């Protein structure tokens, strides 16, 4: 690597110009003259403009050097200037700024108590600044100027509910500034720098809107010629040279960007560094150097990423993330404001030792970067205030944008949790349950909030954490109870299922046994029916073989028939439930008819024959069990006409065949009975009780 062409970089980067850098501040000559005239006619001057328009640089490196040079003739060139920011303690910071030896501070033995006395004087009344100047016994020609940079921080401080009397302190601070400029006995002047989007917040302070209207100066955008001077002037002062085409490219790239000046100064600083390291002797700053650093669009984000990677280990990167999140505030105001914080407070907020905090801060504020303030020339200590160099870092560094969004979401969750904890303690709200509880627990695990961090938004950190713990315990207890109830229901259901299974198995086994026994009984019944039927047939067929012992045989046959009759009577007493049983009952009726016929009971025989015929008809036509006309008649002489008109030819044929079979059997029985009577009459034997 070649030696640098120039050891001095004339561009400050994204930080504002300081009072001792006025020789590098170009392009604002007209605006400086306007400020001098406005301050001479109004001791209260409000310099407003958009973020990134150069308000702080205009006051620090334009107005203040002009005052020291005696440009405001009426006031002279002897000025004691206190520069401060409201931050988290506006009156305390004002006392610290006035306590500087070059303003109102004391040297020697009283140096340790001077700050305390100044703050007590400021808090004594609305003329505190006037009293402090009088007590300092300044020379008659000496003037005092109080510069309140980033005045919009006061509006955020006023909204802080966790700081006691924050609203009263904010109002008292504004009164101190207004009363200091109203009186004419002391040469006191006040200059504010404020973002124009916060002008509406001035309405909350009595007298401030009127003062702002009287002494307001709206910073205009730099003209193209002014931007050209801001580019080429510092290069010429540092002894360098810049190519005209690079100047033209820069002017075109600036365009309407809100952060035009900080980004322009930063990319010029990076281009100069690249040219110093890699440029050829005598060669000007050119497009190759400009494009190598990422151009105006990406130079800031690339440079910040390089610094982030230099933090080293994961611990250092996590520390950088938490430090930058603590230095930004998008929750109090979605527009985004900086939050200056001391090194000691950053360590408490981020749970890091002060040495680790200072190590990260040094990486981001080393020469050539200036992402964090104070400058590298100021030694760091526990009480040193660390701040972002400019709000443009919050809008242009992609990683910081993500961190700021996460910080805002984390803050919103904590504020909500604190509010719910307060309501629960008051008895107007209950404990959290899912999904709120799950979100709260996940937030605590991922963000690991600390009491120092929480105090920025609410003093109820311990109460909020206890509320979260009690909510978790309550949820776990409910889950355990539900799990026990579900387990009991499961055990009961399984027991009931097992019992039902056993019952089903028993019923199935009993059904199988009953079915087996039923089948066996049905087989036995079939065998018995067949045996009785064969016995009846045999009895009927063996009438011709009756010999001399006819009376004894007849008596025996009659006893057999009497014993068979109850068997069939019990059988037909059942209720038929299928076709097979109906058929068997029809056969049983027919057998009873035969028995009645053999026992010489024609009326009972006719009745049983009719029942048998009806059963046969119901089997032949299941859809019609009752004939349309009157039941058929049967005469004892053997005629058995069928007067029915059956709707089905097939059913009619079956019925006619059934009736023919019954009639034939009846006629055959009648013929046998007549033959038996004739044979007995020839032998002189009585036929009573026989066929």
């Amino acid at each position: 690597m070649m030696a640098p062409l120039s050891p001095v970089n004339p561009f400050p980067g994204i930080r504002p110009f300081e009072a001792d850098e006025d020789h590098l501040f170009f392009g604002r000559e007209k605006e400086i003259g306007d400020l001098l005239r406005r301050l001479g006619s109004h001791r209260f001057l409000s310099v407003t403009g958009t973020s990134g328009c150069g308000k702080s640089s205009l006051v620090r490196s334009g107005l203040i050097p002009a005052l020291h040079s005696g440009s405001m003739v009426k006031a002279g060139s002897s000025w004691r200037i206190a520069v401060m920011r409201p931050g988290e303690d506006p009156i305390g910071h004002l006392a610290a700024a006035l306590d500087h030896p070059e303003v109102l501070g004391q040297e020697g033995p009283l140096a340790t108590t001077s700050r305390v006395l100044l703050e007590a004087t400021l808090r004594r009344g609305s003329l505190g600044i006037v009293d402090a100047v009088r007590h300092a016994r300044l020379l008659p020609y000496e003037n005092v100027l109080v510069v309140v940079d980033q005045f919009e921080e006061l509006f955020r401080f006023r909204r802080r509910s966790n700081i006691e009397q924050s609203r009263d302190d904010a109002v008292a601070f504004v009164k101190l500034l207004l009363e200091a400029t109203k009186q004419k006995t002391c040469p006191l002047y006040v200059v504010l720098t404020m973002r124009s989007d916060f002008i509406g917040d001035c309405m909350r302070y009595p007298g401030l809107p009127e003062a702002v209207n009287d002494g307001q100066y709206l910073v205009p955008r730099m003209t193209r010629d002014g931007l050209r001077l801001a580019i080429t002037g510092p290069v010429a002062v540092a002894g360098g040279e810049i190519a005209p085409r690079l100047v033209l490219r820069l002017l075109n790239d600036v365009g309407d960007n809100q952060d035009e000046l900080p980004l322009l100064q930063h990319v010029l600083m990076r281009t100069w560094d690249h040219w110093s390291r890699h440029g050829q002797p005598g060669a000007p700053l050119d497009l190759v150097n400009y494009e190598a650093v990422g151009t105006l669009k990406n130079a800031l984000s690339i440079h910040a990423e390089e610094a982030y990677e230099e933090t080293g280990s994961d611990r250092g990167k996590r520390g950088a993330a938490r430090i930058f999140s603590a230095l930004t505030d998008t929750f109090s105001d979605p527009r985004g404001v900086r939050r200056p914080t001391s090194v000691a407070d950053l360590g408490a907020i981020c749970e890091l030792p002060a040495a680790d905090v200072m190590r990260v801060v040094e990486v981001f504020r080393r020469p050539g970067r200036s992402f964090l303030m104070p400058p590298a020339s100021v030694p760091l200590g526990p009480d040193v205030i660390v701040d972002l160099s400019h709000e443009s870092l919050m809008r242009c560094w992609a990683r910081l944008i993500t961190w700021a969004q996460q910080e805002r979401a984390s803050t919103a969750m904590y504020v909500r949790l604190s509010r719910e904890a307060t309501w629960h303690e008051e008895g107007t709200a209950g404990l959290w349950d899912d999904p709120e509880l799950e979100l709260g627990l996940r937030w605590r695990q991922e963000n690991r909030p600390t009491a120092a961090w929480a105090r920025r938004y609410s003093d109820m950190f311990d109460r909020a954490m206890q509320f979260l713990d009690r909510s978790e315990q309550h949820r776990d207890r409910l889950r355990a109870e539900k799990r026990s109830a579900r387990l009991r229901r499961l055990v009961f259901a399984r027991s009931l299922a097992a019992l039902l299974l056993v019952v089903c198995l028993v019923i199935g086994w009993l059904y199988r046994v009953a079915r087996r026994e039923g089948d066996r009984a049905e087989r036995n019944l079939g065998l018995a029916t067949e045996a009785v039927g064969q016995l009846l047939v045999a009895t009927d067929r063996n009438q011709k073989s009756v010999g001399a012992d006819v009376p004894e045989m007849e008596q025996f046959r009659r006893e057999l028939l009497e014993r068979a009759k109850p068997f069939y009577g019990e059988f037909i007493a059942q209720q038929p439930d299928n076709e097979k049983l109906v058929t068997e009952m029809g056969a049983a009726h027919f057998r009873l008819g035969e028995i009645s016929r053999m026992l010489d009971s024609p009326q009972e025989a006719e009745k049983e024959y009719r029942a048998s015929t009806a059963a046969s008809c119901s089997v032949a036509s299941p859809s019609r069990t009752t004939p349309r006309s009157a039941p058929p008649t049967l005469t004892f002489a053997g005629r058995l006409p069928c007067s029915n008109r059956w709707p089905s030819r097939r059913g009619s044929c079956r019925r006619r065949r059934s009736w023919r079979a019954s009639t034939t059997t009846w006629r055959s029985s009648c013929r046998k009975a007549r033959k038996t009577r004739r044979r007995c009459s020839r032998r002189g034997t009585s036929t009573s009780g026989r066929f």
Side-chain angles (χ1 to χ4, degrees):
M1 186 193 315
M2 65 171 49
L5 297 178
S6 176
V8 178
N9 192 321
F11 300 101
I14 61 173
R15 68 170 178 82
F17 284 89
E18 296 295 338
D20 58 351
E21 296 174 329
D22 60 311
H23 63 288
L24 301 174
F25 188 71
F26 290 87
R28 287 293 195 183
E29 290 75 13
K30 180 181 181 301
E31 287 78 5
I32 294 174
D34 293 340
L35 289 179
L36 290 172
R37 287 189 295 271
R38 189 67 57 88
L39 184 62
S41 59
H42 300 85
R43 292 190 176 188
F44 186 94
L45 179 61
S46 173
V47 181
T48 59
T50 60
S51 177
C53 71
K55 302 180 297 296
S56 298
S57 296
L58 180 59
V59 173
R60 291 171 181 260
S61 191
L63 178 62
I64 292 178
L67 292 175
H68 283 302
S69 64
S71 298
M72 197 166 75
V73 180
K74 293 181 180 180
S77 60
S78 180
W79 289 85
R80 294 175 178 257
I81 301 175
V83 181
M84 53 90 61
R85 291 174 56 177
E88 304 295 331
D89 184 10
I91 297 180
H93 291 171
L94 177 59
L98 293 175
D99 189 46
H100 196 276
E102 295 182 359
V103 187
L104 303 180
Q106 300 289 333
E107 294 181 348
L110 298 178
T112 56
T113 60
S114 176
R115 162 71 185 275
V116 178
L117 293 175
L118 276 174
E119 185 169 353
T121 302
L122 294 176
R123 294 185 180 277
R124 189 176 300 138
S126 60
L127 294 175
I129 300 179
V130 179
D131 294 338
V133 171
R134 288 174 178 169
H135 294 164
R137 297 181 180 181
L138 302 180
L139 298 176
Y141 57 85
E142 289 184 317
N143 305 289
V144 177
L145 173 64
V146 178
V147 178
V148 184
D149 197 10
Q150 306 292 325
F151 185 74
E152 61 270 10
E153 292 179 358
L154 184 70
F155 306 138
R156 181 194 63 200
F157 169 75
R158 183 181 185 273
R159 291 191 292 267
R160 298 293 300 277
S161 59
N162 61 308
I163 300 179
E164 295 183 3
Q165 300 179 348
S166 59
R167 183 182 180 279
D168 296 338
D169 283 354
V171 173
F173 176 73
V174 172
K175 286 184 177 181
L176 286 173
L177 300 179
L178 296 178
E179 295 297 330
T181 57
K182 287 181 181 179
Q183 56 80 36
K184 303 300 180 180
T185 58
C186 293
L188 281 170
Y189 298 84
V190 174
V191 176
L192 311 179
T193 65
M194 179 174 56
R195 283 165 49 180
S196 55
D197 49 341
F198 284 90
I199 289 181
D201 294 307
C202 296
M203 298 295 296
R204 303 175 181 176
Y205 301 91
L208 183 60
E210 293 79 5
V212 169
N213 288 335
D214 293 338
Q216 182 178 1
Y217 181 80
L218 183 61
V219 179
R221 293 191 58 180
M222 292 188 70
T223 63
R224 193 173 181 88
D225 292 337
L227 287 173
R228 188 185 302 273
L229 282 175
I231 295 172
T232 59
V235 174
V237 171
E241 186 179 354
I242 185 169
R245 59 180 180 180
L246 176 56
V247 175
L248 183 61
R249 173 72 179 273
L250 288 168
L251 293 175
N252 293 334
D253 286 352
V254 168
D256 296 329
N257 196 319
Q258 178 185 4
D259 300 305
E260 54 179 14
L261 295 182
L263 293 182
L264 178 62
Q265 292 294 324
H266 177 267
V267 74
L268 284 171
M269 180 189 69
R270 293 282 287 165
T271 304
W272 181 280
D273 289 339
H274 187 272
W275 172 75
S276 299
R277 291 192 300 266
H278 304 286
Q280 298 294 331
L285 282 79
D286 210 339
L287 289 175
V288 63
N289 309 116
Y290 175 68
E291 293 174 350
V293 299
T295 71
L296 187 71
K297 181 179 181 181
N298 300 315
L300 180 60
S301 185
I302 293 174
H303 196 194
E305 283 295 320
E306 292 177 1
Y308 175 71
E309 294 298 331
E310 286 187 20
T311 54
S313 62
D314 293 339
R315 176 181 175 85
K317 292 180 178 179
R318 286 195 300 269
R322 303 200 72 173
I323 288 173
F324 274 94
S325 298
L327 294 176
T328 59
D329 182 13
T330 57
F331 178 77
S332 300
D333 196 308
R335 293 167 289 190
V337 292
R338 292 179 281 175
R339 188 194 292 270
T341 309
S342 67
V343 172
D345 290 342
L346 284 176
I349 292 170
C350 304
E351 291 184 310
L352 293 173
D356 291 349
V357 173
M358 289 187 286
R359 188 179 302 113
V360 173
V361 172
E362 289 290 355
V363 171
F364 283 92
R365 74 166 190 151
R366 69 178 50 168
R369 285 186 178 152
S370 66
F371 293 123
L372 295 177
M373 297 293 288
S377 58
V378 179
L380 291 178
D383 298 329
V384 175
I385 301 298
V386 180
D387 189 18
L388 297 180
S389 298
H390 197 269
E391 294 94 342
S392 58
L393 192 63
M394 295 189 293
R395 295 186 289 268
C396 299
W397 186 15
R399 191 180 296 274
L400 182 54
I401 293 174
T402 303
W403 290 340
Q405 292 173 349
Q406 294 173 352
E407 178 72 9
R408 181 179 182 182
S410 177
T411 304
M413 174 58 72
Y414 170 68
V415 171
R416 179 184 177 188
L417 180 62
S418 301
R419 183 172 59 249
E420 293 286 343
T422 303
W423 291 347
H424 177 263
E425 188 171 323
E426 294 174 353
T428 57
L431 296 173
W432 268 7
D433 198 358
D434 291 335
E436 292 85 358
L437 178 58
E438 187 63 30
L439 293 175
L441 295 175
R442 188 185 308 168
W443 163 79
R444 183 169 64 178
Q445 180 180 1
E446 293 177 354
N447 294 273
R448 294 179 301 166
T450 62
W453 172 84
R455 278 195 300 269
R456 293 177 148 200
Y457 309 101
S458 174
D459 289 332
M460 302 178 183
F461 178 74
D462 294 336
R463 182 186 302 174
M465 295 301 103
Q466 293 174 3
F467 173 78
L468 199 59
D469 292 336
R470 288 198 299 269
S471 298
E472 184 180 13
Q473 295 171 2
H474 179 68
R475 184 196 64 178
D476 293 342
R477 184 170 62 255
L478 291 180
R479 283 183 176 179
E481 293 175 356
K482 291 180 179 178
R483 192 180 302 111
S484 300
R486 186 166 57 251
L487 183 60
R488 289 194 298 270
R489 290 194 298 268
L490 182 60
V491 171
F492 176 76
R494 289 181 177 177
S495 303
L496 183 60
L499 179 61
L500 292 176
L501 179 61
V502 172
V503 171
C504 291
L505 291 176
V506 172
I507 292 175
W509 179 78
L510 293 177
Y511 173 77
R512 186 175 179 181
V513 171
R515 183 67 179 270
R516 187 169 59 248
E517 295 298 328
D519 293 342
R520 183 182 301 171
E522 187 175 355
R523 287 195 301 272
N524 294 337
L525 178 61
L527 292 175
T529 304
E530 184 179 0
V532 174
Q534 290 178 359
L535 178 62
L536 293 176
V537 172
T539 302
D540 190 25
R541 290 178 178 176
N542 292 333
Q543 292 184 21
K544 296 181 180 181
S545 61
V546 178
D549 54 347
V550 170
E552 290 77 5
M553 290 298 297
E554 285 293 328
Q555 184 64 27
F556 177 70
R557 290 175 61 251
R558 192 174 186 87
E559 291 178 0
L560 287 177
L561 293 174
E562 290 290 348
R563 292 182 179 181
K565 187 174 181 180
F567 170 77
Y568 284 110
E570 291 292 335
F571 184 80
I572 65 175
Q574 305 179 66
Q575 293 293 332
D577 56 358
N578 55 59
E579 183 177 343
K580 180 179 179 182
L581 187 58
V582 171
T583 303
E584 292 178 354
M585 291 189 68
H589 280 291
F590 179 77
R591 295 298 183 186
L592 282 174
E594 290 290 298
I595 293 174
S596 298
R597 177 181 60 78
M598 293 178 187
L599 293 177
D600 200 15
S601 299
Q603 284 135 2
E604 292 185 9
E606 180 181 2
K607 177 181 177 183
E608 297 300 333
Y609 283 137
R610 289 179 183 276
S612 176
T613 303
S616 300
C617 293
S618 65
V619 172
S621 180
S623 62
R624 184 179 296 278
T625 57
T626 305
R628 294 181 181 181
S629 59
T633 58
L634 178 67
T635 60
F636 186 77
R639 292 180 59 207
L640 193 61
C642 182
S643 59
N644 295 315
R645 297 295 183 264
W646 306 101
S648 172
R649 183 179 297 275
R650 181 178 299 176
S652 179
C653 293
R654 290 176 179 173
R655 288 169 177 76
R656 282 196 294 271
R657 285 196 298 269
S658 177
W659 280 106
R660 289 194 192 100
S662 300
T663 306
T664 302
T665 304
W666 173 252
R667 289 176 178 174
S668 175
S669 299
C670 290
R671 285 196 297 271
K672 290 179 181 180
R674 285 195 296 272
K675 288 179 181 180
T676 301
R677 289 192 186 93
R678 285 196 299 271
R679 189 167 53 251
C680 291
S681 62
R682 285 195 301 269
R683 294 177 181 178
T685 307
S686 172
T687 60
S688 61
R690 300 185 305 171
F691 289 95

